[in-house]
mmCIF file of all heavy atoms in Angstrom:
data_model
loop_
_atom_site.group_PDB
_atom_site.id
_atom_site.type_symbol
_atom_site.label_atom_id
_atom_site.label_comp_id
_atom_site.label_asym_id
_atom_site.label_seq_id
_atom_site.Cartn_x
_atom_site.Cartn_y
_atom_site.Cartn_z
ATOM 1 N N GLU A 34 9.266 5.667 -16.715
ATOM 2 C CA GLU A 34 9.206 4.311 -16.161
ATOM 3 C C GLU A 34 9.094 4.354 -14.633
ATOM 4 O O GLU A 34 8.313 3.605 -14.038
ATOM 5 C CB GLU A 34 10.434 3.506 -16.567
ATOM 6 C CG GLU A 34 10.453 3.131 -18.036
ATOM 7 C CD GLU A 34 11.748 2.426 -18.443
ATOM 8 O OE1 GLU A 34 12.503 1.982 -17.550
ATOM 9 O OE2 GLU A 34 11.983 2.322 -19.656
ATOM 10 N N LEU A 35 9.883 5.223 -14.012
ATOM 11 C CA LEU A 35 9.818 5.357 -12.561
ATOM 12 C C LEU A 35 8.441 5.842 -12.124
ATOM 13 O O LEU A 35 7.894 5.359 -11.130
ATOM 14 C CB LEU A 35 10.898 6.328 -12.062
ATOM 15 C CG LEU A 35 12.317 5.806 -12.048
ATOM 16 C CD1 LEU A 35 13.308 6.945 -11.765
ATOM 17 C CD2 LEU A 35 12.471 4.702 -11.019
ATOM 18 N N TYR A 36 7.880 6.793 -12.849
ATOM 19 C CA TYR A 36 6.561 7.316 -12.520
ATOM 20 C C TYR A 36 5.513 6.203 -12.609
ATOM 21 O O TYR A 36 4.667 6.066 -11.716
ATOM 22 C CB TYR A 36 6.196 8.470 -13.458
ATOM 23 C CG TYR A 36 4.841 9.056 -13.166
ATOM 24 C CD1 TYR A 36 4.675 9.984 -12.144
ATOM 25 C CD2 TYR A 36 3.716 8.672 -13.904
ATOM 26 C CE1 TYR A 36 3.432 10.512 -11.864
ATOM 27 C CE2 TYR A 36 2.474 9.206 -13.623
ATOM 28 C CZ TYR A 36 2.336 10.131 -12.609
ATOM 29 O OH TYR A 36 1.104 10.644 -12.333
ATOM 30 N N GLN A 37 5.569 5.410 -13.675
ATOM 31 C CA GLN A 37 4.613 4.313 -13.834
ATOM 32 C C GLN A 37 4.748 3.304 -12.698
ATOM 33 O O GLN A 37 3.745 2.858 -12.133
ATOM 34 C CB GLN A 37 4.811 3.619 -15.184
ATOM 35 C CG GLN A 37 4.352 4.461 -16.361
ATOM 36 C CD GLN A 37 4.686 3.833 -17.700
ATOM 37 O OE1 GLN A 37 5.660 3.108 -17.843
ATOM 38 N NE2 GLN A 37 3.860 4.122 -18.698
ATOM 39 N N LYS A 38 5.978 2.946 -12.364
ATOM 40 C CA LYS A 38 6.217 2.004 -11.265
ATOM 41 C C LYS A 38 5.708 2.600 -9.952
ATOM 42 O O LYS A 38 5.093 1.906 -9.140
ATOM 43 C CB LYS A 38 7.714 1.682 -11.170
ATOM 44 C CG LYS A 38 8.079 0.761 -10.053
ATOM 45 C CD LYS A 38 7.520 -0.627 -10.250
ATOM 46 C CE LYS A 38 8.001 -1.562 -9.150
ATOM 47 N NZ LYS A 38 7.378 -2.868 -9.208
ATOM 48 N N GLY A 39 5.927 3.885 -9.768
ATOM 49 C CA GLY A 39 5.442 4.566 -8.568
ATOM 50 C C GLY A 39 3.929 4.536 -8.463
ATOM 51 O O GLY A 39 3.374 4.327 -7.374
ATOM 52 N N MET A 40 3.258 4.729 -9.574
ATOM 53 C CA MET A 40 1.793 4.671 -9.575
ATOM 54 C C MET A 40 1.305 3.265 -9.229
ATOM 55 O O MET A 40 0.338 3.105 -8.490
ATOM 56 C CB MET A 40 1.235 5.119 -10.924
ATOM 57 C CG MET A 40 1.456 6.585 -11.225
ATOM 58 S SD MET A 40 0.786 7.698 -9.969
ATOM 59 C CE MET A 40 -0.955 7.409 -10.178
ATOM 60 N N GLU A 41 1.981 2.253 -9.750
ATOM 61 C CA GLU A 41 1.619 0.862 -9.425
ATOM 62 C C GLU A 41 1.813 0.603 -7.928
ATOM 63 O O GLU A 41 0.956 0.002 -7.281
ATOM 64 C CB GLU A 41 2.470 -0.118 -10.236
ATOM 65 C CG GLU A 41 2.165 -0.116 -11.719
ATOM 66 C CD GLU A 41 3.172 -0.926 -12.523
ATOM 67 O OE1 GLU A 41 4.043 -1.608 -11.926
ATOM 68 O OE2 GLU A 41 3.093 -0.882 -13.762
ATOM 69 N N LEU A 42 2.944 1.052 -7.396
ATOM 70 C CA LEU A 42 3.214 0.857 -5.973
ATOM 71 C C LEU A 42 2.222 1.630 -5.109
ATOM 72 O O LEU A 42 1.786 1.140 -4.059
ATOM 73 C CB LEU A 42 4.645 1.292 -5.644
ATOM 74 C CG LEU A 42 5.744 0.391 -6.193
ATOM 75 C CD1 LEU A 42 7.106 1.080 -6.093
ATOM 76 C CD2 LEU A 42 5.761 -0.943 -5.463
ATOM 77 N N SER A 43 1.851 2.809 -5.550
ATOM 78 C CA SER A 43 0.867 3.604 -4.832
ATOM 79 C C SER A 43 -0.471 2.865 -4.754
ATOM 80 O O SER A 43 -1.127 2.842 -3.705
ATOM 81 C CB SER A 43 0.684 4.953 -5.524
ATOM 82 O OG SER A 43 -0.320 5.705 -4.898
ATOM 83 N N LYS A 44 -0.861 2.230 -5.845
ATOM 84 C CA LYS A 44 -2.112 1.469 -5.858
ATOM 85 C C LYS A 44 -2.017 0.260 -4.939
ATOM 86 O O LYS A 44 -2.963 -0.046 -4.211
ATOM 87 C CB LYS A 44 -2.462 1.034 -7.277
ATOM 88 C CG LYS A 44 -3.761 0.237 -7.340
ATOM 89 C CD LYS A 44 -4.283 0.079 -8.721
ATOM 90 C CE LYS A 44 -5.539 -0.726 -8.839
ATOM 91 N NZ LYS A 44 -6.254 -1.128 -7.676
ATOM 92 N N VAL A 45 -0.876 -0.418 -4.963
ATOM 93 C CA VAL A 45 -0.670 -1.571 -4.075
ATOM 94 C C VAL A 45 -0.840 -1.133 -2.618
ATOM 95 O O VAL A 45 -1.558 -1.770 -1.844
ATOM 96 C CB VAL A 45 0.726 -2.196 -4.295
ATOM 97 C CG1 VAL A 45 1.074 -3.169 -3.171
ATOM 98 C CG2 VAL A 45 0.795 -2.899 -5.637
ATOM 99 N N CYS A 46 -0.196 -0.031 -2.256
ATOM 100 C CA CYS A 46 -0.283 0.472 -0.881
ATOM 101 C C CYS A 46 -1.711 0.855 -0.525
ATOM 102 O O CYS A 46 -2.207 0.511 0.554
ATOM 103 C CB CYS A 46 0.648 1.670 -0.688
ATOM 104 S SG CYS A 46 2.397 1.235 -0.733
ATOM 105 N N SER A 47 -2.373 1.545 -1.421
ATOM 106 C CA SER A 47 -3.748 1.954 -1.180
ATOM 107 C C SER A 47 -4.662 0.744 -1.003
ATOM 108 O O SER A 47 -5.484 0.703 -0.079
ATOM 109 C CB SER A 47 -4.244 2.821 -2.347
ATOM 110 O OG SER A 47 -5.592 3.170 -2.165
ATOM 111 N N ASP A 48 -4.516 -0.252 -1.864
ATOM 112 C CA ASP A 48 -5.334 -1.462 -1.769
ATOM 113 C C ASP A 48 -5.084 -2.189 -0.448
ATOM 114 O O ASP A 48 -6.027 -2.653 0.201
ATOM 115 C CB ASP A 48 -5.053 -2.404 -2.944
ATOM 116 C CG ASP A 48 -5.544 -1.865 -4.272
ATOM 117 O OD1 ASP A 48 -6.328 -0.882 -4.279
ATOM 118 O OD2 ASP A 48 -5.139 -2.422 -5.316
#
Side-chain angles (χ1 to χ4, degrees):
E34 289 175 15
L35 285 170
Y36 180 81
Q37 288 174 331
K38 178 67 176 174
M40 293 304 293
E41 291 171 7
L42 290 167
S43 176
K44 180 167 179 9
V45 167
C46 291
S47 177
D48 291 347

